[in-house]
Amino acid sequence: MFKTSWAGNRRVNIQNDHGKAKEYQVRQVLAAIAKKEAEDGDEA
């Protein structure tokens, strides 16, 4: 379980599915990364 830095539901749960992440989990992580990059860009 990883936590993100924004308010609300900040968790991204990565579960092992035979050595791989599930497709929807990958989408969640990519969305979290994009959101974090957008926030960091706003502060620059």
Side-chain angles (χ1 to χ4, degrees):
M1 179 98 44
F2 297 92
K3 290 186 178 180
T4 59
S5 60
W6 56 81
N9 188 0
R10 307 177 320 159
R11 296 170 291 165
V12 178
N13 187 7
I14 306 293
Q15 298 174 2
N16 185 352
D17 184 20
H18 304 291
K20 298 182 179 182
K22 295 176 182 177
E23 186 176 337
Y24 75 92
Q25 295 168 337
V26 173
R27 285 194 302 268
Q28 288 175 339
V29 170
L30 292 175
I33 292 169
K35 185 171 185 173
K36 179 64 176 157
E37 286 177 343
E39 289 176 355
D40 290 346
D42 291 344
E43 296 174 3

